[in-house]
Structure formats: C-alpha cells, structure tokens
Amino acid sequence: FTPTVQYWADDIARWTSNSIVTPNMLATVMQLQSCGNPTYANGGLFGLPDVDMTNQPFTDPEANAQAAIARLEDGLNATGGDFGMALAYYSGGATTLHSDFTQWSQMARDLFIIGRNLYNQAQSNISTSVDMLSWVNQSGTTLCNEAQTVLNR
C-alpha cells in the first residue's frame, strides 16, 4: 500500500479487530477509494473508504471506517467470503451480484479486478506490486497527491 494508506495502519488494525473484515481488506478499499485521504469527497460519497455518510460527519475517519466495514461485511456475507465479489457489492450493491459483469459499473469492475489483485498481493507480502504501480500511474496519482497534502506526508 502507498505511504498514505500505511499512515492509517494502526487505526486499520484497531477498526477491523472485531470484524470478519481483515486489515488488508479495509486497506485495499481505502487505497482505491481515497488513497488514505480522510477529507476525500466524490459526489455523495466521502472519506477514507468513499462511503455514503448520510447524517454523519464525513471527515470522521472512525465513522467512515465503521461504515466501510459494515458494507464489506455485508458483501462478504452475501458472497460466501469472496473478497473480489464483496468489492463489487461494496460499489454496486446486491444487484451487482445478480447481474452480468458487463453490466456492472466501471467502478464495480475496477474494484473487483484491481482490488482483488492488490489484496492478493498484500496477503502474499509482495513489497513491490505491479498492480499498485499501474493503478497509481493510471488512476491514483492525483488522488494520492491530494492525500499526501492532507496528511502532510
């Protein structure tokens, strides 16, 4: 994971300590959704894991993490523990699980493919991930630069 997601490592471990969501699962979502930027906003989705924070302060990392963990738990439960499919669920909801891959939103497809690969590499302790470098170069540069600025890293 990038340094801006690694910045949250202790918090991620604490947030996931009583969940079926593992630290690498939450870190994968944070990497792809905000690159660790706690003030990230994209339409109606906010914070570290880019979740709907209706009626909650969207810049509260604790609340953001708990919302993301709940969504991932729902996805993992709905998919029998398949993290790739749980990522698609995270993005597209339950209807994604019952539709053809070609009908998924681009975000759901990206989370499924890229997220699953990043997660598997993190699980294997691969220190230099080709998928991570590719994601940063293609999609994550601006996102990660913003996170670095916010975190003063």
Side-chain angles (χ1 to χ4, degrees):
F1 300 106
T2 60
T4 52
V5 171
Q6 292 175 20
Y7 171 90
W8 299 98
D10 290 342
D11 292 309
I12 291 169
R14 181 174 49 81
W15 293 329
T16 59
S17 65
N18 294 316
S19 172
I20 60 172
V21 174
T22 68
N24 281 341
M25 289 175 178
L26 183 58
T28 298
V29 170
M30 288 171 59
Q31 183 67 66
L32 296 176
Q33 298 293 80
S34 73
C35 203
N37 180 354
T39 64
Y40 179 72
N42 178 19
L45 304 176
F46 305 100
L48 291 170
D50 198 26
V51 291
D52 179 359
M53 295 301 294
T54 305
N55 300 321
Q56 295 184 45
F58 78 87
T59 56
D60 178 4
E62 185 85 28
N64 281 202
Q66 293 310 315
I69 289 166
R71 181 87 171 163
L72 281 170
E73 285 176 340
D74 289 347
L76 288 166
N77 288 328
T79 63
D82 182 322
F83 183 61
M85 291 300 291
L87 287 171
Y89 177 97
Y90 186 91
S91 177
T95 58
T96 302
L97 303 179
H98 307 291
S99 59
D100 187 80
F101 180 81
T102 60
Q103 302 301 309
W104 293 3
S105 70
Q106 187 63 49
M107 178 56 75
R109 290 193 304 262
D110 287 349
L111 278 176
F112 176 77
I113 295 169
I114 299 167
R116 183 182 56 185
N117 290 343
L118 291 179
Y119 172 75
N120 287 337
Q121 290 169 2
Q123 288 294 95
S124 299
N125 293 316
I126 295 174
S127 60
T128 304
S129 165
V130 173
D131 289 307
M132 177 64 73
L133 295 173
S134 176
W135 173 81
V136 168
N137 289 332
Q138 291 178 7
S139 307
T141 301
T142 300
L143 196 59
C144 291
N145 286 342
E146 290 171 1
Q148 285 178 322
T149 299
V150 169
L151 297 173
N152 296 314
R153 301 203 100 228

